[in-house]
């Protein structure tokens, strides 16, 4: 297929756009009961669909400021790079689609924030035992080192992201007081990162509050 005329030969050219819009409009009306033509952007329409689907969006109050600031330390912008691919021998390529909806289906913080006592021994073992998909979720502040023997395997895509002078930087240096979600910390442990200290653990109630919206 080289153009829309080949894809929809049975629809006159001046009717294709309006016909496609009406098809999408009817489908969205059935799913959400909202007319997309009443909105000036996809973003504003999607937000209204979200509000109609999700019973109640969680909020954070002043008493949760310390928890908010702690979680915010784990926020990072998207990773944008230009790669020049090189490989020797056989190789395979993996492409992941629909990343935002997939991330939105994970359980998210909804309340009951509190700091709990971090483990003093068997750090990696104890962090690995935390159930990231259960009723409660966790953000963790850790120190870690990266053994030399695994650095080559991580060179193309380091797991951790660091804010250095306002820039998001991926590197393979050891780090102190690094804050991340427990899922990422458990991935680091599986890949061979060595956890040398656990400073704080934030525990909170979590629910997959956005999943009904993305499932539609």
């Amino acid at each position: 297929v080289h153009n829309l005329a080949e894809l929809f030969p049975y629809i006159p050219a001046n009717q294709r756009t309006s016909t496609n819009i009406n098809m999408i409009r009817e489908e969205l009306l059935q799913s959400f009961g909202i007319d997309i033509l009443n909105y000036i952007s996809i973003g504003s329409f999607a937000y209204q669909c979200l509000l109609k689907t999700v019973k109640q969006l969680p909020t954070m109050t002043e008493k949760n400021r310390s928890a908010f600031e702690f979680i915010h330390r784990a926020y990072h912008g998207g990773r944008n790079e230009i790669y020049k691919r090189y490989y020797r021998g056989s190789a395979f390529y993996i492409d992941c689609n629909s990343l935002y909806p997939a991330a939105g289906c994970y359980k998210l913080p909804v309340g009951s924030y509190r700091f709990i006592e971090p483990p003093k021994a068997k750090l990696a073992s104890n962090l690995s035992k935390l159930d990231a998909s259960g009723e409660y979720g966790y953000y963790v502040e850790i120190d870690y080192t990266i053994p030399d023997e695994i650095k080559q395997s991580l060179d193309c895509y380091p797991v951790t992201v660091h804010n250095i002078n306002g820039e998001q930087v991926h590197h393979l240096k050891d780090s102190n007081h690094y804050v991340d979600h427990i899922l990422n910390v458990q991935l680091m442990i599986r890949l061979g990162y060595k956890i040398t200290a656990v400073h704080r653990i934030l525990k909170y109630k979590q629910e997959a509050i956005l999943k009904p919206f993305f499932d539609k």
Side-chain angles (χ1 to χ4, degrees):
V1 176
H2 298 87
N3 53 53
L4 287 177
E6 294 181 13
L7 187 61
F8 301 111
Y10 52 89
I11 303 177
N14 61 350
Q15 295 180 12
R16 288 179 192 134
T17 301
S18 61
T19 300
N20 291 338
I21 289 177
N22 282 329
M23 291 169 58
I24 296 172
R25 180 187 184 193
E26 289 299 323
E27 184 174 341
L28 292 173
L29 274 170
Q30 292 178 13
S31 297
F32 299 101
I34 302 176
D35 191 346
I36 191 174
L37 297 185
N38 291 331
Y39 298 86
I40 62 173
S41 70
I42 293 295
S44 60
F45 171 73
Y47 183 61
Q48 289 302 314
C49 293
L50 171 66
L51 294 178
K52 190 167 183 178
T53 306
V54 179
K55 294 180 180 179
Q56 184 177 0
L57 292 175
T59 58
M60 298 190 77
T61 62
E62 183 64 28
K63 70 176 183 179
N64 302 131
R65 175 177 288 275
S66 60
F68 172 80
E69 292 175 346
F70 187 74
I71 293 175
H72 195 265
R73 289 172 57 190
Y75 283 11
H76 306 291
R79 176 172 177 163
N80 297 290
E81 294 170 317
I82 299 175
Y83 290 99
K84 183 175 181 180
R85 296 189 181 94
Y86 170 81
Y87 67 91
R88 179 180 297 174
S90 59
F92 63 92
Y93 180 75
I94 298 176
D95 186 21
C96 297
N97 298 313
S98 199
L99 293 179
Y100 283 110
C105 289
Y106 280 88
K107 291 186 174 181
L108 303 173
V110 296
S112 301
Y113 303 95
R114 64 187 181 95
F115 288 94
I116 62 174
E117 185 70 21
K120 303 298 183 184
K122 298 181 179 179
L123 305 181
S125 175
N126 282 299
L127 291 177
S128 297
K129 290 178 182 177
L130 292 176
D131 183 7
S133 61
E135 182 180 1
Y136 293 94
Y138 308 88
Y139 275 88
V140 187
E141 181 179 9
I142 58 173
D143 296 348
Y144 69 80
T145 61
I146 306 177
D148 291 337
E149 58 267 24
I150 69 169
K151 287 184 177 180
Q152 183 175 357
S153 64
L154 297 170
D155 186 53
C156 290
Y157 205 101
V159 177
T160 54
V161 188
H162 301 265
N163 191 323
I164 300 177
N165 298 325
E167 299 290 335
Q168 304 300 318
V169 179
H170 295 251
H171 62 65
L172 294 174
K173 297 180 180 179
D174 300 340
S175 182
N176 296 327
H177 297 280
Y178 181 77
V179 179
D180 212 335
H181 190 273
I182 186 60
L183 280 174
N184 292 335
V185 174
Q186 290 173 343
L187 173 62
M188 293 165 61
I189 293 171
R190 292 197 300 272
L191 291 175
Y193 284 67
K194 301 300 181 183
I195 310 301
T196 57
V198 180
H199 299 286
R200 289 192 294 175
I201 298 178
L202 177 65
K203 181 179 180 179
Y204 53 85
K205 191 172 182 180
Q206 62 178 7
E207 297 177 13
I209 54 175
L210 300 184
K211 193 173 188 300
F213 168 66
F214 288 115
D215 283 346
K216 278 199 171 187

